[in-house]
Amino acid sequence: MDTTLTKTRIRAGVWEGVLSGSPSQPVLDVLHLEQPLDGVTITAVPDREGDWLVRVPIPVEVLSEGVQTFVIRNRASGEKLQHFTVITGVAMEDDMRAEVDLLRAELDMLKRAFRRHCLETAA
């Protein structure tokens, strides 16, 4: 049976999700920058056999400006089940818009260069 981990929410600094498809209590590792995090809890969901509530407290000491990525893996198989990111201190909308504008400008430059190249080699 395949196991799936579905995020339900992040609230009060705790990531929560439901792991489905595991007949016995799984053992999970949560990594940030390849370092394991402590405090992960896994409890059975009442009246739903094979479902487990996973809670991952997000330590304040790992939060800093930028994007922080957390990876949740099955310890036994090493399979990546889920990941989540926390973005702090950066206005992401402005950064994304600036990046898209730069990409558009580069694409326009490449299109012009490619068309020029095609004209030069066709003659």
Side-chain angles (χ1 to χ4, degrees):
M1 180 183 289
D2 288 336
T3 58
T4 58
L5 180 57
T6 305
K7 174 192 168 218
T8 54
R9 66 183 180 174
I10 293 180
R11 183 171 183 186
V14 178
W15 182 95
E16 294 181 0
V18 174
L19 181 77
S20 300
S22 181
S24 60
Q25 183 169 0
V27 178
L28 304 177
D29 289 322
V30 180
L31 305 173
H32 173 260
L33 299 175
E34 295 299 319
Q35 298 299 314
L37 298 181
D38 294 326
V40 177
T41 60
I42 302 167
T43 54
V45 176
D47 301 324
R48 289 175 39 193
E49 188 174 331
D51 285 357
W52 304 87
L53 175 62
V54 178
R55 300 185 84 234
V56 179
I58 304 167
V60 294
E61 57 270 9
V62 302
L63 297 177
S64 58
E65 188 156 342
V67 179
Q68 306 301 319
T69 302
F70 302 83
V71 177
I72 304 172
R73 292 193 312 206
N74 181 317
R75 183 178 293 171
S77 68
E79 173 189 13
K80 176 187 159 195
L81 299 172
Q82 187 65 266
H83 76 275
F84 63 95
T85 56
V86 176
I87 302 170
T88 58
V90 178
M92 194 62 178
E93 289 177 359
D94 294 339
D95 285 353
M96 290 300 288
R97 287 184 188 138
E99 288 296 320
V100 169
D101 287 343
L102 286 172
L103 288 171
R104 282 186 184 144
E106 288 180 23
L107 181 59
D108 288 341
M109 180 187 69
L110 287 170
K111 287 193 305 190
R112 284 192 300 274
F114 181 71
R115 288 181 184 139
R116 189 175 333 111
H117 170 76
C118 289
L119 288 173
E120 291 171 357
T121 56

